[in-house]
Amino acid sequence: MKLAQLIAETGEQEAVIQVLCHLLGADRTTVFLLRDIGDETVKQVKKYIDKYKKGTPLAYLLGYTYFYNRKFLVNKNVLVPRFDTEVLIELAEKKIIADSVMDNLSRPYKILDLCCGSGIIAISLGYLTEWLNKKNPQDQYVITATDISEGALSVAQANAEMHNVDLRLVRSDLFTNLVGQFDLIVCNPPYVPTYEIGLEDKRVLKEPQIALNGGIDGLYYYRRILATARDYLRPDGLLMFEVGYDQAEAVQAIAESNGFEHVKVYKDLANHDRVVTMEL
Ligand SMILES: C[S@@+](CC[C@H](N)C(=O)[O-])C[C@H]1O[C@@H](n2cnc3c(N)ncnc32)[C@H](O)[C@@H]1O
C-alpha cells in the first residue's frame, strides 16, 4: 500500500508517519520515500492508529517521544512532554551560563527540578552542566529532581540512565523531603484548572491527573510552592515556573505577595505568556 493511501484510509497523517518510523526503525525521509508498505506493516500500523483514535496518546503507545531534539521514555505515569516547556529550558540554560561566567564557583552549583515527571527538564539541563563541567573541571553542578509519584521517578531514572546524566532523584511532596538552598529552581507544576482537563483534547484524560490538575483555578501548586520556596532558594538564586497561557499575572501576584522581587514574564513562540521568573 502507498503511504498516501494509508494516511487517507486512517485519516491520520502525523501519527501514521511516527508509527511507521517506529516499526521500521527508519527516519521520516525514508518513510516518505517508501514505494510500498507491506501488508503486515499496514496491519500493525492500523492497530496502533486504532488505539490512538480511541484516545491513547501516541507517546504511550510507542513508549517514547522526542523533546528538545532528544528521545525520552514515557509511560502512563508521566505527562507527555509538551513543546511549551522548551521556553523554560532555554531560560534556565541562559541563567546557568550567565552564572558560570560570572561566578568563580567555589561550591557546588545546585539546580532543582521540582515536579520532574519524566525528567525532561533536569536531563536537558544536565547536558549543559556536563558540557560546562568539561570546560571547567573544577566547577561542580548538582541536579536534584523530585516528584511525588514513584512511577514518575522510575521513568526519570530510566531517562537519566539512557542519557547518561547524573541526577539526584528524591521522592518528595514539593519541598517536604528537601534540605538546603538552590541556585536555580525550575518547576512545571500541574496547572490545568480541574474543569478544563480534557476539554480540548480527550487524550489528556489518559495522562496522570496528578500531573495536570492544578485545582479549581489551576493555581493551587503555585500558591503552595511560593509559600515556602524562599527557604530553598539562595539569596542570589532564580526560581522559574512554567505557567498556563492566562496565569502569568496571577502567579506574579502570588510571588509578590510572598516577598519575591524582579518578577518577569516570558512568552512562548505562540506569543502566550509561558514562564514566570522571580528572585528574592
Ligand atoms: C506538569 S507535570 C510536569 C512534568 C515534567 N516536569 C514536564 O515538564 O514534563 C507535573 C508533575 O508534578 C508531579 N506532582 C504532582 N503533585 C506533586 C507534589 N505534591 N509534589 C511533587 N510533585 C508533584 C506530578 O507527578 C507530575 O509529574
Side-chain angles (χ1 to χ4, degrees):
M1 184 185 283
K2 297 247 175 300
L3 176 62
Q5 193 183 343
L6 184 53
I7 290 170
E9 270 188 24
T10 56
E12 297 288 342
Q13 175 165 322
E14 182 53 31
V16 164
I17 291 165
Q18 284 191 38
V19 172
L20 277 169
C21 288
H22 172 70
L23 291 175
L24 303 174
D27 60 25
R28 294 173 74 88
T29 313
T30 309
V31 166
F32 280 122
L33 293 175
L34 285 174
R35 288 175 165 266
D36 184 57
I37 304 164
D39 291 349
E40 191 46 44
T41 308
V42 168
K43 221 196 268 174
Q44 282 181 280
V45 172
K46 285 184 173 172
K47 265 195 197 156
Y48 275 89
I49 298 301
D50 257 9
K51 291 186 188 157
Y52 173 68
K53 281 183 158 174
K54 285 186 183 138
T56 305
L58 194 57
Y60 290 169
L61 295 171
L62 302 179
Y64 59 83
T65 190
Y66 287 87
F67 174 79
Y68 218 47
N69 283 329
R70 296 187 181 108
K71 183 173 175 176
F72 285 92
L73 305 171
V74 292
N75 65 26
K76 62 180 172 39
N77 292 312
V78 296
L79 186 86
V80 177
R82 307 292 205 266
F83 181 63
D84 302 329
T85 306
E86 294 195 357
V87 188
L88 181 75
I89 291 175
E90 281 165 14
L91 288 163
E93 287 175 338
K94 280 187 190 152
K95 161 78 177 158
I96 296 167
I97 291 170
D99 285 351
S100 77
V101 176
M102 299 282 291
D103 260 356
N104 194 355
L105 291 180
S106 54
R107 55 176 180 82
Y109 186 92
K110 292 167 71 183
I111 299 167
L112 171 64
D113 177 4
L114 193 69
C115 303
C116 68
S118 58
I120 51 163
I121 303 176
I123 291 166
S124 301
L125 297 180
Y127 273 90
L128 173 63
T129 57
E130 289 191 8
W131 179 78
L132 287 169
N133 202 228
K134 279 198 190 108
K135 274 182 54 187
N136 294 315
Q138 78 282 3
D139 289 353
Q140 206 197 329
Y141 294 89
V142 179
I143 306 182
T144 303
T146 70
D147 204 286
I148 198 167
S149 153
E150 202 72 76
L153 287 170
S154 301
V155 176
Q157 171 79 46
N159 277 318
E161 281 166 18
M162 186 171 90
H163 288 280
N164 209 13
V165 165
D166 209 10
L167 288 190
R168 193 177 148 255
L169 287 160
V170 180
R171 179 159 189 239
S172 180
D173 177 3
L174 301 181
F175 293 108
T176 318
N177 295 338
L178 295 174
V179 282
Q181 291 187 319
F182 296 86
D183 296 88
L184 175 63
I185 300 176
V186 289
C187 180
N188 177 17
Y191 62 70
V192 184
T194 313
Y195 73 94
E196 273 186 28
I197 295 174
L199 275 190
E200 265 185 34
D201 179 1
K202 67 177 185 324
R203 261 175 265 283
V204 168
L205 297 173
K206 297 265 180 171
E207 294 183 272
Q209 297 307 292
I210 197 179
L212 294 161
N213 193 345
I216 288 178
D217 59 359
L219 301 171
Y220 170 78
Y221 286 92
Y222 300 111
R223 288 195 192 92
R224 263 191 74 194
I225 293 166
L226 286 168
T228 51
R230 58 181 313 114
D231 297 339
Y232 299 90
L233 191 64
R234 274 179 59 90
D236 52 353
L238 186 72
L239 167 57
M240 28 190 10
F241 281 120
E242 177 170 323
V243 297
Y245 71 96
D246 56 354
Q247 293 174 331
E249 217 175 288
V251 173
Q252 174 161 14
I254 301 168
E256 286 169 353
S257 71
N258 281 285
F260 285 90
E261 293 181 2
H262 310 294
V263 182
K264 292 185 190 148
V265 177
Y266 297 85
K267 290 190 183 294
D268 61 20
L269 288 176
N271 212 32
H272 294 134
D273 291 343
R274 187 57 65 196
V275 174
V276 178
T277 69
M278 60 206 70
E279 298 167 36
L280 285 172

